[in-house]
Amino acid sequence: MTTPTKAGLEDVVVSTSEICFIDGDRGRLLYRGFDIDDLVEHSSFEEVVYLLWHGSLPTRKDLETHVKALRANRRLPAKLIAMLKALPRKTTPMEVLRTGVSALSAFDPDAADGSREATLRKALRLTAQMPTLVAAWERVRRGKAPIAPDRRLTLAANFLYMMTGRKPTPLAAKTFDIALILHADHEFNASTFAARVTAATLSDLHSAVTAAIGALKGPLHGGANEQVMRMVEKIRDPSGAEAWVRRALAEKARIMGFGHRVYHVEDPRAKHLRRLAVELGRERGNTAAVEILDTVRRVVEEQKHIKPNVDLYSGAAYASMGIATDQFTPIFAISRVAGWAAHVLEQHANNRLIRPRSEYTGPTSAPYNPLDDR
Ligand code: COA
């Protein structure tokens, strides 16, 4: 038995995979061999979903069929909406997503079928339904009726429409689509690993995605984008950013949106999200959030030599679209479900139970005292 030298399985390779490649020294991220910079420039999120699941870019005809199927599966069962209405209004969007995805399995006609074809159909339904679920909760918790999905819109534009009740501007729809592309997969991150561990017991896609959502929720993973925006809200004005971050660092606080287990340079997704946050901020006439984040970044880089990650600028873009801060992590999930599903498919295609060991450091001969003698 070998013992990992570093905690948290750092640098431990647990499996082979053909889905995603990260070069942490050069700051490169590839999905199925394609650089995310090219995918951001030329692809749509729907095309990237196809790429992740099938391993190659679709032909025009394949893409049309795939997009049509995604658009046709957006609606939620009426009983699921009724279930949302029965939840306490204070339930957080991530709790609702975790509960809703688990409940959707009860309505899925392929729930009991673990074949590749059935898992692909479930992945398609879930990827189509999760944006509707996230947007429906936003409406329900505000005491409003959920907005029905619009088949004429892309996944990104339709989500913004269902969320806000307004058709998004072309820039907002494009920005959101790119944000979805950038979050779609990231190798063996914590939530994907949770999904693969679950899938490796030959459990089903909905269970794997529910487990992944639980892992994504934490502030060291997907929850960081929400915490970045809470920081921006606390700082409020760009003029106060430098003093705030210097104080936070002096108090040894962890600054959300910085650092990464794999990247030793800037996360290659951050530059795209910054550019989009700037463009959207300009369109809305408010660039304060990006100005604050730029100052925080300068100080953190100077003092700690820690680089921005994917979560630093995404929230500023979402906030410009009128999205509530506690919805940022669910947005991460409506994109990452594409990657989780790809990993479940890959795990099932060549499965072996994932069952590591721990090095036991507890006592080995504890004398047992019966209850009455303690
Ligand atoms: N702010 C301040 N210091 C940080 C930091 C941050 N965001 N990220 C790492 N560090 C420091 C740690 O304090 C530690 O310093 P020390 O050795 O003096 O104690 C060192 O860098 C290594 O950090 P560690 O937590 O061991 O690295 P990790 O690989 O386990 O952590 C993260 C990776 C992502 C969990 C970590 O960088 C972090 O907490 N970032 C903020 C949360 C975040 O943005 N998460 C989203 C990731 S995409």
Side-chain angles (χ1 to χ4, degrees):
M1 218 163 79
T2 49
T3 307
T5 45
K6 293 186 202 158
L9 295 181
E10 182 172 352
D11 291 334
V12 173
V13 174
V14 294
S15 174
T16 58
S17 174
E18 295 179 357
I19 300 170
C20 185
F21 173 68
I22 303 174
D23 184 336
D25 295 323
R26 292 202 184 87
R28 283 187 83 208
L29 170 59
L30 314 181
Y31 298 162
R32 300 280 189 186
F34 295 94
D35 197 304
I36 52 147
D37 291 349
D38 292 328
L39 296 170
V40 160
E41 197 177 334
H42 303 293
S43 273
S44 63
F45 175 62
E46 285 85 339
E47 194 176 6
V48 166
V49 172
Y50 185 101
L51 172 68
L52 288 169
W53 294 352
H54 298 280
S56 58
L57 287 169
T59 61
R60 191 174 292 278
K61 193 162 171 292
D62 290 338
L63 184 60
E64 271 170 25
T65 311
H66 174 70
V67 166
K68 214 169 151 193
L70 278 169
R71 290 183 185 204
N73 279 286
R74 287 176 180 162
R75 283 186 170 271
L76 297 177
K79 283 185 179 163
L80 197 105
I81 304 265
M83 196 192 89
L84 295 185
K85 288 182 179 162
L87 291 170
R89 291 268 169 96
K90 64 164 186 40
T91 313
T92 66
M94 276 305 271
E95 290 171 309
V96 173
L97 187 63
R98 191 188 58 212
T99 305
V101 164
S102 181
L104 276 169
S105 119
F107 298 94
D108 197 293
D110 287 309
D113 188 343
S115 67
R116 178 176 164 83
E117 292 68 32
T119 302
L120 271 169
R121 287 195 295 273
K122 285 186 276 193
L124 192 117
R125 282 186 210 110
L126 209 45
T127 306
Q129 289 165 327
M130 278 172 59
T132 317
L133 175 60
V134 172
W137 178 246
E138 187 60 40
R139 304 285 294 181
V140 168
R141 72 171 170 172
R142 289 167 191 259
K144 295 179 179 169
I147 295 175
D150 184 337
R151 275 196 197 206
R152 291 163 302 179
L153 301 175
T154 63
L155 190 146
N158 177 60
F159 173 72
L160 293 175
Y161 163 61
M162 293 188 299
M163 197 77 173
T164 63
R166 292 181 308 276
K167 299 271 162 67
T169 63
L171 179 64
K174 182 71 191 152
T175 299
F176 198 74
D177 191 65
I178 291 175
L180 293 177
I181 292 174
L182 292 171
H183 287 85
D185 197 49
H186 212 226
E187 206 222 38
F188 270 51
N189 59 90
S191 59
T192 302
F193 189 51
R196 286 194 80 130
V197 169
T198 307
T201 69
L202 293 185
S203 189
D204 62 287
L205 181 82
H206 286 80
S207 300
V209 172
T210 305
I213 291 171
L216 185 73
K217 186 168 175 283
L220 295 188
H221 189 8
N225 57 9
E226 179 179 337
Q227 297 307 321
V228 168
M229 218 48 207
R230 302 263 175 243
M231 172 178 78
V232 169
E233 284 158 12
K234 267 189 224 148
I235 297 175
R236 276 179 37 210
D237 192 274
S239 64
E242 175 141 6
W244 189 94
V245 69
R246 283 189 188 281
R247 201 164 46 242
L249 287 174
E251 288 164 5
K252 306 246 174 286
R254 200 163 273 247
I255 314 293
M256 296 292 139
F258 292 89
H260 202 275
R261 178 59 70 76
V262 183
Y263 294 116
H264 305 120
V265 293
E266 183 177 312
D267 183 325
R269 301 165 294 180
K271 62 180 181 297
H272 294 290
L273 289 161
R274 181 182 181 280
R275 173 175 54 80
L276 297 166
V278 168
E279 286 173 9
L280 264 183
R282 283 197 192 124
E283 188 183 70
R284 303 290 142 106
N286 184 357
T287 52
V290 180
E291 287 169 43
I292 288 173
L293 293 173
D294 281 347
T295 303
V296 170
R297 171 198 185 137
R298 176 173 52 74
V299 176
V300 171
E301 285 185 345
E302 263 169 33
Q303 296 219 338
K304 299 280 295 185
H305 309 289
I306 299 174
K307 299 285 180 187
N309 61 44
V310 67
D311 292 313
L312 188 64
Y313 292 105
S314 58
Y318 302 150
S320 299
M321 298 173 195
I323 296 174
T325 305
D326 61 0
Q327 290 284 17
F328 295 174
T329 315
I331 288 174
F332 193 148
I334 67 176
S335 163
R336 184 58 59 85
V337 66
W340 292 331
H343 282 271
V344 169
L345 288 161
E346 187 176 64
Q347 184 66 40
H348 280 173
N350 186 17
N351 190 58
R352 187 149 193 248
L353 179 74
I354 298 173
R355 201 297 187 195
R357 295 295 311 272
S358 69
E359 183 186 337
Y360 181 67
T361 55
T364 51
S365 53
Y368 187 85
N369 281 338
L371 194 54
D372 288 341
D373 299 345
R374 282 176 229 156

